[in-house]
Amino acid sequence: MKETGCFSIITADFVTSDAGTGIVHCAPGFGDDDYKVCLAKGLVESGKAPVPIDFDGKFTDVISDYKGSYIKEAD
């Protein structure tokens, strides 16, 4: 794993360089593969993947600057 300030560069079996750029983002609160690789790399604790949006698609207080904003309004 390579630290780059607020980002970490990690490897995963499901990311290859033969299709696309070979670089993807991981959202451990929204995908099983993402969760598993982030857990294995120590980026999240078991059962504690961040999910900063509610069921209405609005940011929660986890992202305090955008709390209550619909995700597409914050683009």
Side-chain angles (χ1 to χ4, degrees):
M1 177 169 43
K2 180 179 180 183
E3 295 293 328
T4 61
C6 63
F7 298 98
S8 296
I9 299 170
I10 58 175
T11 58
D13 292 342
F14 60 90
V15 181
T16 63
S17 61
D18 62 345
T21 64
I23 298 174
V24 299
H25 80 280
C26 286
F30 300 99
D32 191 50
D33 285 336
D34 293 358
Y35 174 75
K36 287 177 182 175
V37 75
C38 288
L39 185 63
K41 302 292 183 173
L43 298 173
V44 296
E45 293 180 34
S46 182
K48 295 186 179 182
V51 181
I53 59 170
D54 63 19
F55 288 107
D56 293 322
K58 295 181 179 180
F59 285 105
T60 64
D61 57 357
V62 173
I63 309 294
S64 60
D65 288 349
Y66 296 97
K67 181 180 178 182
S69 299
Y70 180 64
I71 55 175
K72 288 301 179 182
E73 292 171 0
D75 276 354

